[in-house]
Amino acid sequence: SDRLDSFLLPQSEPNIAIVGLLISPAKSVFLYSLPALLFPILWFKFFEQKRDAALVMLTLVLVALGTAISRPDWDGGTWWGPRYLVQITPFLILPLGVLETLHPPKRRIGMIILALLSLGGLGVGAAGAFTSERDYLDIVGRGTNLAGQIDFLRHGFFDSLVLYWTPEGVQINPYGIVLLGIIALAGLWITHALWTRAFVLMPSSRVGWSVVTITLAIQMLALIVWIVIPYDQVQARKADTLFRAGDLFAADGRVCEAAAAYLLAIERETHYQADAYARVQDLLPRARGQVIVHLASEIDAPPEVIVKEDFYVTISEHDSLKISAPPEAGNVTARVQLIPMAALPNARYELSGWIKAENVYGQGYGSITVSEDNGRFQYIRSTDLIKWDETIGWSYFQRTFTTLPTTHRLFFTVWLWKTPGTIWVADLRLAHINETNPPSVAPQPCKCFPLCGALVPGRAVGPYP
């Protein structure tokens, strides 16, 4: 521990960390918990009434703050809010209780200010709850902040299991209706109790526990029926929201964000798959080349492995190549060689297309390799162009390579290498890259709109410079 501290402390930036954690637009503890703004004011009143408790509370807050600013990673990475100060939020809120002890006029003013700050805090929380910081990072290449999340939310970038903003309008999952009903009833119950100061509304603890048990049972049953069982459809509806967000970004002329949203929608199997695919083709033009329609030329696979052209699971108007090995097959290897393609020596080529994987959790992976041939069936060099595993939806790729001086043919091979699972390959295109035929436009992290990456001078959040 001492050695770790001596290594980390010289890398810390306390002056920058203090500004970042107190007033920055991305990590301020007060911005992400607006009622805490009253802490510096009301703590003194709390100190007059409960001196020992106030001192202990202030000590805990200062210790946590001091620990956070001494870390080189004080910002907590790319994620939402001041990650390392979450634990002190209750201590920043507790002194607000002294509002009840103030004289009526001051108490009324304090309550109004608290209510306004609470509503603002609810809005800040909603911006974080209804947008995905992971998607934000993938699209803009920087960590989240409030301005960026609100911008994404404004463009319909909802990320919710129960609320979907699709091209058909706002839709709510039935589970969301059940959840809102339970929240509304609980809120009315609590409000009535506070208003009448009758904090015990149940005739007995047995009745109270029965009500809680029934409520939780209803909520759990609704979760299973409308979220867990139809989870694929829930994910597809969330992807529909991404598709609509892409349309809104495109309408604003923000092509990069639009393309990224469409790619995410396709990967997560939107109901508008064909439309999203067409939009990606427009926004990310591909190099002119030969589409490899008839895929399988030579197959080398164990009998338990299925290799076929899939008419149903594909991304374009052409069939996809499907290679599937059941889990009981173990770490099998299946090789499907595509039709040979004529090529020029010392030339630059690009292979682009779409891949998908399902349950590829073995020792190996799925891959596409290119082998160069000198025209006499003598392989000169083989290169892995792309590898993938686990479970991923349709994902776009492009890879460039330069042929050898003796190359005259290219053999592309799709592998299921030492693993069970299922992989699909679709819409493959081989393009000769030259001055008149540039490479396909590749997806890139989008440039931030104003303030999207702003923190404090000299400090940026996230892995990108």
Side-chain angles (χ1 to χ4, degrees):
S1 175
D2 292 339
R3 263 193 252 171
L4 182 62
D5 290 342
S6 63
F7 173 73
L8 292 178
L9 282 176
Q11 301 180 49
S12 62
E13 303 168 300
N15 55 331
I16 295 177
I18 290 174
V19 176
L21 291 173
L22 296 183
I23 62 174
S24 76
K27 296 293 178 179
S28 167
V29 66
F30 297 112
L31 179 62
Y32 290 88
S33 181
L34 287 176
L37 285 169
L38 295 176
F39 175 82
I41 302 172
L42 296 177
W43 180 84
F44 293 99
K45 189 67 177 177
F46 184 63
F47 177 75
E48 293 176 3
Q49 299 177 10
K50 302 284 185 180
R51 178 170 302 200
D52 292 343
L55 288 175
V56 170
M57 190 177 302
L58 181 62
T59 301
L60 293 173
V61 169
L62 293 177
V63 168
L65 181 63
T67 302
I69 66 175
S70 67
R71 301 176 63 115
D73 59 341
W74 58 267
D75 50 44
T78 59
W79 308 122
W80 180 256
R83 176 179 175 185
Y84 297 125
L85 293 182
V86 172
Q87 71 276 13
I88 68 169
T89 301
F91 300 117
L92 298 176
I93 300 299
L94 281 175
L96 275 57
V98 302
L99 288 173
E100 282 289 328
T101 66
L102 300 178
H103 295 298
K106 292 183 178 180
R107 182 174 61 199
R108 190 177 302 111
I109 294 173
M111 287 297 185
I112 292 173
I113 295 174
L114 177 59
L116 293 175
L117 289 174
S118 298
L119 286 175
L122 184 62
V124 171
F130 285 108
T131 54
S132 169
E133 54 200 16
R134 177 72 252 182
D135 292 345
Y136 183 91
L137 173 65
D138 289 342
I139 290 175
V140 305
R142 285 184 179 270
T144 57
N145 67 26
L146 183 57
Q149 296 291 85
I150 290 175
D151 175 73
F152 269 44
L153 196 61
R154 183 172 63 86
H155 285 86
F157 227 94
F158 283 107
D159 183 63
S160 170
L161 287 173
V162 297
L163 185 65
Y164 323 116
W165 195 1
T166 73
E168 302 166 7
V170 177
Q171 301 180 19
I172 187 168
N173 187 291
Y175 173 69
I177 298 175
V178 173
L179 203 59
L180 287 175
I182 293 174
I183 292 172
L185 290 175
L188 289 173
W189 180 17
I190 294 171
T191 301
H192 180 269
L194 292 173
W195 185 262
T196 61
R197 296 187 178 274
F199 298 107
V200 180
L201 300 181
M202 294 297 176
S204 68
S205 60
R206 180 176 297 179
V207 174
W209 280 111
S210 298
V211 171
V212 171
T213 302
I214 293 172
T215 302
L216 291 176
I218 292 173
Q219 181 179 337
M220 183 61 66
L221 181 62
L223 177 69
I224 294 172
V225 171
W226 284 305
I227 298 293
V228 177
I229 295 176
Y231 189 68
D232 288 343
Q233 285 301 310
V234 170
Q235 287 292 87
R237 281 299 179 193
K238 292 177 65 176
D240 294 347
T241 297
L242 293 174
F243 175 77
R244 186 183 186 279
D247 284 347
L248 292 176
F249 276 122
D252 281 354
R254 292 168 63 176
V255 174
C256 182
E257 289 91 341
Y262 291 136
L263 287 170
L264 286 174
I266 291 172
E267 181 181 348
R268 297 170 191 178
E269 306 285 352
T270 174
H271 292 105
Y272 301 90
Q273 201 83 325
D275 294 326
Y277 169 81
R279 284 164 170 74
V280 168
Q281 299 301 303
D282 290 338
L283 297 176
L284 301 176
R286 294 171 71 177
R288 300 186 309 275
Q290 181 178 353
V291 177
I292 307 176
V293 179
H294 302 290
L295 297 174
S297 173
E298 180 181 325
I299 300 173
D300 181 13
E304 62 268 26
V305 175
I306 298 173
V307 178
K308 69 173 186 177
E309 294 186 1
D310 198 325
F311 302 95
Y312 302 103
V313 181
T314 187
I315 192 65
S316 68
E317 68 272 16
H318 303 298
D319 304 332
S320 66
L321 172 65
K322 176 182 178 181
I323 306 177
S324 181
E328 56 271 17
N331 292 318
V332 299
T333 295
R335 180 182 67 88
V336 179
Q337 184 175 286
L338 310 186
I339 58 174
M341 313 286 290
L344 298 173
N346 289 323
R348 189 182 180 199
Y349 285 90
E350 175 193 89
L351 182 72
S352 62
W354 295 78
I355 56 175
K356 175 181 167 73
E358 192 173 278
N359 299 324
V360 181
Y361 292 113
Q363 179 182 341
Y365 45 80
S367 68
I368 299 177
T369 62
V370 58
S371 298
E372 301 175 48
D373 176 85
N374 64 359
R376 296 187 299 275
F377 294 99
Q378 294 176 338
Y379 292 103
I380 305 167
R381 178 179 64 180
S382 292
T383 307
D384 283 332
L385 294 180
I386 184 171
K387 301 177 183 178
W388 69 101
D389 58 6
E390 300 184 349
T391 295
I392 58 172
W394 283 112
S395 301
Y396 177 62
F397 78 93
Q398 70 253 54
R399 297 291 186 273
T400 59
F401 58 94
T402 301
T403 56
L404 294 170
T406 52
T407 297
H408 289 280
R409 280 188 302 192
L410 300 175
F411 291 85
F412 294 100
T413 305
V414 182
W415 296 83
L416 197 61
W417 177 261
K418 294 184 178 181
T419 180
T422 304
I423 59 174
W424 291 265
V425 175
D427 197 23
L428 293 180
R429 180 181 300 180
L430 179 65
H432 179 203
I433 304 302
N434 51 42
E435 293 181 357
T436 61
N437 189 31
S440 302
V441 177
Q444 297 290 337
C446 305
K447 293 181 179 179
C448 297
F449 65 95
L451 295 180
C452 89
L455 272 180
V456 291
R459 184 68 170 181
V461 172
Y464 300 90

